[in-house]
Amino acid sequence: MPMETRDGGSRLPCSYVPLPDDAEATVVGHGRQTGPLFAALRLVLATVLLAVVTLAGVRFVGQLPTTGVVMPNQPATSTTSSSRGPESGVSEKTSGVPAEHGGMLGADATGSNAFPWSNAMLQWQRTGFHFQPEKNWMNDPNGPVYYKGCYHLFYQYNPDGAIWGNKIAWGHAVSRDLLRWRHLPVAMLPDQWYDINGAWSGSATVLPDGRIVMLYTGSTNASMQVQCLAFPSDPSDPLLTNWTKYEGNPVLYPPPHVGEKDFRDPTTAWYDGSDGMWRTVIGSKDERHAGMALTYKTKNFIDFELIPGVLHRVPATGMWECIDLYPVGAAKGIDMTEAVAAASNSGGGEVLHVMKESSDDDRHDYYALGRYDAATNKWMPLDADVDVGIGLRYDWGKFYASKTFYDPAKKRRVLWGWVGETDSERADVAKGWASLQSIPRTVVLDTKTGSNLIQWPVVEVETLRTNSTNLGSITVDHGSVFPLSLHRATQLDIEASFRLDPLDVIAAKEADVGYNCSTSGGAAGRGALGPFGLLVLADARRHGGDTEQTAIYFYVARGLDGGLRTHFCHDESRSSRANDIVKRVVGNVVPVLDGEALSIRVLVDHSIVESFAQGGRSTVTSRVYPTEAIYANAGVYLFNNATGARVTATSLAVHEMDSSYNQAYMASL
């Protein structure tokens, strides 16, 4: 059937070739061009230019140098495939790529099983508007804070190379708008006995007089986890360039009955006027593998007292890393100290508190909504069935070790998350960097459901929009794709709303109860009412077959009770021809209320795709590494792989995104 447009015209349909079951296909056949003639000519020219660039500087992973960016004292030909994480008391930091594909540094040193990445491919992976260091390895965001008109982001950083190591330091950058960053010198190096094996994650606290204190976890010379104090060397410096460690560090040791490697990542502290003391929470686990949060109080950030009892504990959830506890409101952020004071004055109040933990067991960030009782040092979930570690997640894709902070300038709570690589370490060493931070997101309570958070890119992201195209209403028949005519497709902000044909929904009477994003065939798993959505970083020269594409889609299933259940997913299985990367299908059910359209916002930035469904009720982040759908060969399609329903994109706006152009540090003369 023809695809209808708002202006009443029609366009020829494109037959949708069902996705192959073989997610690891590496041979792509030649296909015909699609789209207008001028677009085809542009793509041909782009292909020629890409070939020239590639031939001018080809270097394959199998031919990597054995010195230079490799970690000091780490043999380039090492064949070990054991983790460098848990035995050191931290999460596994590798991508998950099997060792035979170069997942660990030096695995298969000949590179015979690694994909032959060219320089042009690797250079394309670097993002345009997501935060990343100029080079080397990065992981957890640390101590984000607003100070003297500047936003500061600290982060776990390896100054010596593009892989995680035992000498992790604190990288540092500063910004006026959370997008355009100035890289600063390393804030803290692991140079004392109490942090010699790593200056690990921590948080910043702004005191009433404007001073900042930083609590962080140090890994000692015996690999014990202790808490340490640091503060700016010059509080008048808005860049906070230099930091001083407290001479009496460490200020906290693991308490009795807590493992020496199970005590880390202190939260931002808040003030409790009931006793005039500050409180901070530290993540841990007990001897029965229950995750738990411990609360300490202090007057001076030097002398700490463990508050009796456990703030919260959930059986079988393992070590809780990067714990976070904060109040959440409907329209704006709330400072924790202010929330505690308000609750004390009103006898409790109605403010909900989010507790979040980063699970060391599966490396996902879980959260729950609940109520915090400062007097009893207890946090209780609203619903025990979706408690911390067993229910809701910040993001259903690649997103971990997150951290929020309260932004007093705009009265909002902002969330950062580490988005690691899913390629091989060999490829990371070749390109000289690893990991990104997510786009900073605002966090508020979803007042429509009352049971989840809303996450949304900070409003500053919209200042990067350049060319915007409103493509109007487009109807896509079942089993079809529709190419979008765009100037470029590697840096985009896409907003779209979809509506299933109501008659087709009524006609789909058969129950479809077994669908799951991760196990039901991804975008190839066809049902009466899905999947349908967008194909991004898709080969603009051809579609179907085994061409590269990343699918972002809804799948609507009818339950046994006749009701509809909506899944929101990313399918990475065809995102790349490379065989040495992790490719998954990820996502989950998203609440859709009566009368709501199915809506998504998608940020595409080279090797990262972040999606926000239903106004931010559900988010999914993917790392993707296309080998052909790059530069001008990248395209975007609407697709509908349902078997019995037409889908209309009732609104579709595509904004090209400028780069944020981060600046290198230059010391004042």
Side-chain angles (χ1 to χ4, degrees):
M1 297 183 67
M3 298 177 207
E4 301 164 355
T5 60
R6 176 174 291 176
D7 61 11
S10 63
R11 302 183 185 183
L12 293 176
C14 297
S15 175
Y16 185 86
V17 180
L19 304 181
D21 292 332
D22 181 8
E24 299 295 331
T26 57
V27 180
V28 177
H30 295 287
R32 64 178 179 86
Q33 293 281 1
T34 62
L37 178 61
F38 76 91
L41 292 174
R42 185 173 68 244
L43 292 173
V44 169
L45 291 173
T47 303
V48 172
L49 290 173
L50 174 59
V52 170
V53 171
T54 304
L55 291 174
V58 135
R59 177 161 60 88
F60 296 111
V61 172
Q63 301 168 330
L64 291 180
T66 57
T67 60
V69 295
V70 176
M71 284 288 296
N73 303 319
Q74 174 69 46
T77 57
S78 169
T79 58
T80 179
S81 61
S82 62
S83 161
R84 292 182 312 284
E87 84 281 6
S88 297
V90 294
S91 282
E92 171 66 78
K93 301 297 181 183
T94 61
S95 65
V97 175
E100 61 268 23
H101 293 306
M104 303 296 291
L105 179 64
D108 186 19
T110 64
S112 59
N113 291 331
F115 184 83
W117 295 99
S118 70
N119 281 343
M121 295 174 187
L122 295 177
Q123 290 167 4
W124 178 89
Q125 293 174 14
R126 191 166 181 91
T127 61
F129 57 90
H130 281 74
F131 178 80
Q132 59 186 122
E134 295 176 285
K135 61 180 181 178
N136 297 338
W137 168 274
M138 171 179 67
N139 52 285
D140 310 7
N142 295 152
V145 67
Y146 182 80
Y147 185 73
K148 292 186 181 298
C150 295
Y151 295 102
H152 290 262
L153 176 64
F154 303 86
Y155 52 89
Q156 297 284 275
Y157 180 64
N158 180 4
D160 296 326
I163 63 172
W164 189 82
N166 290 328
K167 299 293 183 181
I168 293 295
W170 274 43
H172 185 196
V174 65
S175 171
R176 293 283 187 181
D177 62 2
L178 292 171
L179 292 177
R180 300 165 180 88
W181 294 89
R182 179 181 180 185
H183 297 290
L184 296 176
V186 170
M188 288 191 289
L189 289 166
D191 55 6
Q192 303 296 318
W193 70 267
Y194 50 79
D195 63 8
I196 195 67
N197 280 315
W200 289 348
S201 293
S203 301
T205 300
V206 180
L207 304 180
D209 61 4
R211 291 179 299 150
I212 288 182
V213 293
M214 195 77 75
L215 290 174
Y216 73 97
T217 298
S219 180
T220 72
N221 52 4
S223 293
M224 175 188 289
Q225 293 171 13
V226 296
Q227 311 314 313
C228 308
L229 173 64
F231 43 86
S233 303
D234 179 7
S236 66
D237 175 16
L239 298 183
L240 300 176
T241 307
N242 298 309
W243 289 78
T244 298
K245 297 176 183 178
Y246 172 56
E247 61 182 7
N249 278 335
V251 295
L252 263 178
Y253 287 86
H257 310 299
V258 166
E260 293 183 352
K261 297 181 180 181
D262 303 323
F263 183 65
R264 55 185 178 269
D265 309 336
T267 67
T268 295
W270 68 92
Y271 184 77
D272 190 325
S274 66
D275 59 5
M277 301 185 78
W278 294 83
R279 281 154 173 76
T280 186
V281 178
I282 298 174
S284 187
K285 69 176 180 180
D286 65 19
E287 65 279 2
R288 296 184 180 181
H289 203 65
M292 61 182 182
L294 306 174
T295 309
Y296 285 83
K297 60 183 180 179
T298 180
K299 283 187 176 292
N300 54 16
F301 290 87
I302 296 173
D303 304 302
F304 286 82
E305 177 185 347
L306 177 63
I307 298 178
V310 174
L311 179 64
H312 195 55
R313 174 185 180 275
V314 180
T317 54
M319 175 66 201
W320 286 2
E321 295 193 298
C322 302
I323 202 83
D324 210 352
L325 177 68
Y326 58 89
V328 63
K332 63 180 182 179
I334 304 174
D335 177 73
M336 185 67 168
T337 294
E338 293 177 359
V340 170
S344 175
N345 294 332
S346 64
E350 295 300 320
V351 173
L352 296 179
H353 286 77
V354 175
M355 180 172 284
K356 165 261 168 183
E357 63 97 4
S358 299
S359 174
D360 196 26
D361 281 1
D362 62 14
R363 291 177 296 284
H364 296 307
D365 277 16
Y366 293 89
Y367 79 89
L369 297 173
R371 299 196 184 280
Y372 168 61
D373 187 336
T376 61
N377 185 43
K378 291 294 180 184
W379 178 92
M380 295 296 293
L382 294 182
D383 183 352
D385 290 336
V386 287
D387 205 344
V388 182
I390 60 175
L392 299 171
R393 281 168 47 181
Y394 273 163
D395 192 293
W396 296 95
K398 189 70 174 177
F399 186 95
Y400 190 65
S402 59
K403 175 65 183 172
T404 70
F405 75 102
Y406 176 69
D407 174 9
K410 294 195 173 182
K411 307 296 183 184
R412 60 185 175 178
R413 184 159 292 273
V414 178
L415 168 69
W416 287 99
W418 167 41
V419 183
E421 304 293 328
T422 57
D423 63 350
S424 68
E425 286 188 349
R426 181 174 291 276
D428 294 341
V429 171
K431 65 190 180 188
W433 59 271
S435 301
L436 309 170
Q437 297 296 334
S438 68
I439 280 292
R441 308 170 179 181
T442 55
V443 180
V444 296
L445 178 67
D446 185 350
T447 56
K448 293 181 179 180
T449 66
S451 59
N452 56 268
L453 296 175
I454 291 289
Q455 300 174 58
W456 200 246
V458 293
V459 68
E460 289 90 339
V461 170
E462 298 173 20
T463 66
L464 295 176
R465 292 174 175 174
T466 54
N467 299 321
S468 297
T469 304
N470 191 329
L471 297 171
S473 179
I474 302 171
T475 297
V476 186
D477 201 3
H478 55 83
S480 299
V481 299
F482 186 92
L484 304 184
S485 180
L486 303 174
H487 176 65
R488 62 172 185 165
T490 56
Q491 292 181 203
L492 299 174
D493 186 350
I494 305 173
E495 300 172 296
S497 294
F498 298 92
R499 179 179 58 85
L500 286 163
D501 188 309
L503 295 178
D504 294 334
V505 174
I506 294 172
K509 298 182 182 299
E510 185 176 348
D512 184 1
V513 297
Y515 191 83
N516 179 287
C517 287
S518 300
T519 61
S520 297
R526 305 184 71 183
L529 303 177
F532 58 87
L534 293 164
L535 303 175
V536 301
L537 298 175
D539 197 319
R541 301 163 299 177
R542 54 188 180 270
H543 68 274
D546 57 357
T547 54
E548 292 178 336
Q549 58 189 239
T550 298
I552 302 162
Y553 64 91
F554 291 103
Y555 185 102
V556 181
R558 190 173 296 282
L560 293 174
D561 61 356
L564 298 177
R565 187 176 173 91
T566 303
H567 303 257
F568 179 64
C569 321
H570 277 198
D571 185 350
E572 306 162 359
S573 61
R574 294 176 62 193
S575 61
S576 176
R577 294 180 58 211
N579 62 342
D580 56 352
I581 63 177
V582 175
K583 289 175 275 191
R584 308 170 298 166
V585 183
V586 292
N588 199 46
V589 174
V590 58
V592 179
L593 305 184
D594 290 342
E596 288 186 339
L598 299 176
S599 64
I600 56 174
R601 182 177 179 186
V602 182
L603 298 177
V604 179
D605 190 7
H606 295 263
S607 60
I608 182 172
V609 179
E610 290 186 78
S611 297
F612 305 81
Q614 298 309 110
R617 277 190 199 126
S618 182
T619 66
V620 184
T621 299
S622 291
R623 296 300 307 278
V624 294
Y625 308 90
T627 63
E628 295 183 333
I630 56 179
Y631 298 103
N633 292 338
V636 178
Y637 298 80
L638 292 173
F639 85 98
N640 177 12
N641 205 19
T643 59
R646 297 199 310 167
V647 174
T648 298
T650 55
S651 65
L652 177 60
V654 181
H655 314 279
E656 295 180 15
M657 298 290 279
D658 198 0
S659 295
S660 54
Y661 302 110
N662 297 334
Q663 299 177 349
Y665 174 72
M666 295 183 65
S668 300
L669 296 178

